[in-house]
Amino acid sequence: MDEKTSTPSKIIKNKLQSKTDATRLTLIRAGISVFSRKGYDGASNRLLAKKAGVNLALISYHFGGKRGLYFAVIRHVSHKLGVRFAPALKKIESEFSQLEQIETVEKQRDACLNMIKVLLSANLDLLLNRQTASWAMLVYREQQLPSKAFSLLYNESLASILSALEKPIAFVIQRKVSDPEVKLLALSLLAQVQLVRSARHMLLQHMGWETLSEPEVMQLKNYLSTQVDTLLSLRHHLPR
């Protein structure tokens, strides 16, 4: 078959592939919306198809059923989280590798504390972003009622965030990265940020806030910064 004959066939194939990819993405986006609001059990195939605006049979055709779609949704969100956090993680990795170039230990500690604050702030911004609110709700649901997809979520996004926190924490409190104290501190600090999602309405009610606008967000970030300084300073002075 010559090149002229094969070209139309290739164009048709590419168009069909593009249409397939577009349908899969539409279903995944619908899945993010529905699963985040309804959970896995509360999301029916009919509801998912209606949200996507596609034929019900396409869920089985593209994903083998609701379970396959759910895994695709978690994989998609994990990838998006990885992309979103990549700049902050790369910056921390670079700064931490150059830590020895800073002249005093005290300034090195300050640099590490700043790395932690930057990463927590980035996490807070993501949780408060309306465009990523459904991602955050899915992550929250998976932490509360983990499915078999949780390992995927943890390994492809959450683990890298915790690991990035553990390195500067370990330096500040003068422990090994593998020390349980370091791991628990990383979890504790990240959990404080996730309070914005997991206990949002209680936070607003208790603080007397109508919404989380810029002044309130700044107050939260200042509080987190103080918490990092206080908590890690206390741990730094505790006996091993």
Side-chain angles (χ1 to χ4, degrees):
M1 185 181 292
D2 58 32
E3 186 177 346
K4 290 183 179 179
T5 306
S6 64
T7 299
S9 177
K10 187 176 181 180
I11 291 173
I12 292 172
K13 185 177 180 181
N14 288 340
K15 285 184 177 179
L16 288 173
Q17 185 60 50
S18 296
K19 186 176 180 180
T20 296
D21 292 343
T23 302
R24 285 178 60 87
L25 184 58
T26 298
L27 279 165
I28 286 172
R29 286 174 174 168
I32 292 172
S33 175
V34 176
F35 287 130
S36 65
R37 290 185 292 107
K38 301 289 186 178
Y40 181 82
D41 292 333
S44 66
N45 283 347
R46 190 173 299 280
L47 183 58
L48 289 161
K50 182 179 179 180
K51 180 66 177 178
V54 302
N55 189 289
L56 181 65
L58 288 176
I59 295 176
S60 293
Y61 177 79
H62 287 290
F63 301 99
K66 186 172 78 167
R67 185 175 184 275
L69 175 56
Y70 186 73
F71 268 80
V73 164
I74 294 297
R75 188 174 291 108
H76 180 84
V77 169
S78 297
H79 173 71
K80 290 291 186 181
L81 287 173
V83 170
R84 184 63 67 96
F85 278 105
L89 296 179
K90 187 175 181 180
K91 185 173 185 293
I92 288 174
E93 188 68 31
S94 175
E95 290 179 354
F96 193 81
S97 66
Q98 300 175 39
L99 206 58
E100 292 182 357
Q101 298 178 19
I102 300 176
E103 56 271 25
T104 67
V105 174
E106 193 59 35
K107 288 184 178 180
Q108 289 175 348
R109 286 186 72 255
D110 288 342
C112 284
L113 289 171
N114 188 61
M115 293 176 205
I116 297 165
K117 294 171 186 178
V118 165
L119 189 52
L120 293 178
S121 180
N123 196 285
L124 182 61
D125 287 338
L126 184 138
L127 290 173
L128 294 174
N129 190 322
R130 290 184 179 180
Q131 294 179 338
T132 58
S134 54
W135 302 358
M137 183 56 72
L138 272 172
V139 173
Y140 172 67
R141 282 187 178 277
E142 272 297 319
Q143 290 186 74
Q144 296 302 305
L145 297 169
S147 70
K148 291 184 178 180
F150 179 76
S151 293
L152 177 66
L153 177 65
Y154 175 80
N155 291 327
E156 293 193 10
S157 59
L158 301 180
S160 59
I161 297 171
L162 288 167
S163 178
L165 282 171
E166 287 166 356
K167 290 179 181 179
I169 287 174
F171 184 91
V172 171
I173 68 172
Q174 299 180 357
R175 305 285 177 91
K176 293 181 179 180
V177 175
S178 59
D179 192 310
E181 177 80 7
V182 172
K183 293 184 175 298
L184 288 170
L185 278 169
L187 285 166
S188 175
L189 290 171
L190 193 60
Q192 289 190 52
V193 178
Q194 292 182 347
L195 177 73
V196 172
R197 173 55 52 192
S198 62
R200 181 186 182 93
H201 295 296
M202 182 171 68
L203 171 67
L204 292 173
Q205 186 78 18
H206 192 64
M207 295 299 297
W209 295 341
E210 292 185 6
T211 185
L212 290 173
S213 55
E214 190 173 341
E216 288 79 22
V217 173
M218 185 56 63
Q219 191 170 342
L220 284 172
K221 288 185 176 182
N222 289 336
Y223 168 77
L224 283 170
S225 178
T226 301
Q227 281 291 93
V228 170
D229 290 335
T230 302
L231 191 58
L232 296 188
S233 293
L234 286 172
R235 289 300 187 275
H236 174 64
H237 291 103
L238 284 176
R240 297 193 182 192

